Amino acid sequence: MKRRVQPEWLDTLPPDDPGAGRSRRDLRRVNAWMRGHVIMSRALQHAANGDHPKQILDLGAGDGDFLLHVARRLAVSWPVMKAILLDRQQIVTPQTVEVFATLGWRAEVVGGDVFKWARTAADEPVEAVVANLFLHHFSDPQLVGLFRAISRRTRLFVALEPRRGCWPLLCSRLLGCIGCNAVTRHDAVVSVRAGFVGGELSAFWPAADGWQLTERPVWPFSHLFVAQRIR
Ligand SMILES: C[S@@+](CC[C@H](N)C(=O)[O-])C[C@H]1O[C@@H](n2cnc3c(N)ncnc32)[C@H](O)[C@@H]1O
């Protein structure tokens, strides 16, 4: 299956559109079915190898609920954290920021386009960068540029994306069965077709020299990419 990037409805609907709001809630359920929080927190802990990063930047963080679930899993071993939530749409509620705070994580919400961040934040390194269901929005040349910017700013990057393949595609077509709305059902199929397999993301990383790259499928529907600076 050839990679195909197409517009997603959730990206074009205004944040206060009822269909968009419902789809954001669906996304929480989809993340739970994909076991995204579990996979991401394990990948972060494994890569950190006993070290405790003090800052995490989540690219395309949405309403912040994904990172909040990761925080719930990590807060015992990583009790002090600055969590930066970057998204084009500013939809993180004050309540979500408060829940982060109860875990000891200080959440900072940053509104804006990731490519603007890539162009302007050169002097602001961050210890760890994560992305969930985000990279598949972009074309191959866009990912090359984005990865260059990420590699200049961090020592650890973990991304979890849809795996492109028949099984994820079949399941994305069945999301109506768990009550997902038309926006979610459309975007899920588009996301799988724009997802990744094999070593596709590693090929976009600018300089494999000095970096350890890990890329693999994760059951049931995901594709995991980890880039870790080794010197
Ligand atoms: C599928 S949602 C995933 C949200 C969140 N990571 C999660 O797992 O729930 C993708 C998010 O990427 C954001 N997004 C898409 N293109 C973007 C861009 N160019 N810059 C910043 N955010 C973007 C959208 O607003 C949306 O919230």
Side-chain angles (χ1 to χ4, degrees):
M1 193 186 301
K2 201 164 148 23
R3 177 160 196 255
R4 185 152 45 125
V5 180
Q6 289 174 299
E8 292 184 30
W9 290 355
L10 187 57
D11 291 336
T12 52
L13 290 168
D16 56 357
D17 180 276
R22 169 89 189 279
S23 182
R24 295 262 177 209
R25 289 193 291 280
D26 290 346
L27 199 51
R28 296 179 178 195
R29 225 156 352 127
V30 171
N31 273 328
W33 277 84
M34 293 182 79
R35 300 175 56 250
H37 324 113
V38 180
I39 299 166
M40 177 62 77
S41 40
R42 283 187 188 156
L44 279 167
Q45 271 182 317
H46 183 264
N49 193 21
D51 254 6
H52 169 184
K54 304 289 188 302
Q55 307 159 318
I56 288 191
L57 165 63
D58 186 3
L59 300 176
D63 60 9
D65 186 75
F66 175 79
L67 192 64
L68 183 59
H69 275 77
V70 173
R72 286 196 175 110
R73 294 185 154 268
L74 292 180
V76 172
S77 40
W78 296 2
V80 180
M81 183 70 78
K82 178 178 171 185
I84 307 157
L85 305 163
L86 184 144
D87 201 285
R88 209 157 53 174
Q89 299 192 338
Q90 280 188 278
I91 47 173
V92 181
T93 63
Q95 289 81 358
T96 299
V97 173
E98 273 170 32
V99 184
F100 271 109
T102 62
L103 300 169
W105 287 36
R106 185 161 60 83
E108 184 183 309
V109 181
V110 179
D113 190 279
V114 73
F115 294 100
K116 183 164 179 239
W117 169 83
R119 282 193 302 276
T120 56
D123 51 348
E124 291 168 30
V126 59
E127 285 179 65
V129 177
V130 298
N132 184 62
L133 302 181
F134 180 59
L135 301 178
H136 67 273
H137 286 81
F138 307 115
S139 68
D140 296 2
Q142 284 178 309
L143 287 171
V144 169
L146 185 57
F147 277 15
R148 196 179 309 120
I150 295 169
S151 71
R152 286 187 187 140
R153 290 163 179 76
T154 193
R155 305 183 62 78
L156 174 61
F157 175 53
V158 182
L160 201 55
E161 292 297 317
R163 186 170 75 247
R164 197 170 76 248
C166 296
W167 166 246
L169 190 60
L170 172 70
C171 294
S172 70
R173 290 197 170 119
L174 297 174
L175 282 180
C177 301
I178 60 163
C180 292
N181 76 355
V183 177
T184 313
R185 295 199 303 274
H186 171 270
D187 288 356
V189 172
V190 167
S191 299
V192 171
R193 289 203 181 113
F196 303 95
V197 287
E200 288 175 337
L201 288 171
S202 302
F204 300 141
W205 198 255
D209 197 29
W211 288 86
Q212 181 175 301
L213 305 181
T214 311
E215 183 168 4
R216 62 182 172 87
V218 185
W219 183 259
F221 310 116
S222 301
H223 185 77
L224 176 69
F225 174 68
V226 181
Q228 196 171 3
R229 198 190 285 276
I230 45 178
R231 57 187 147 78

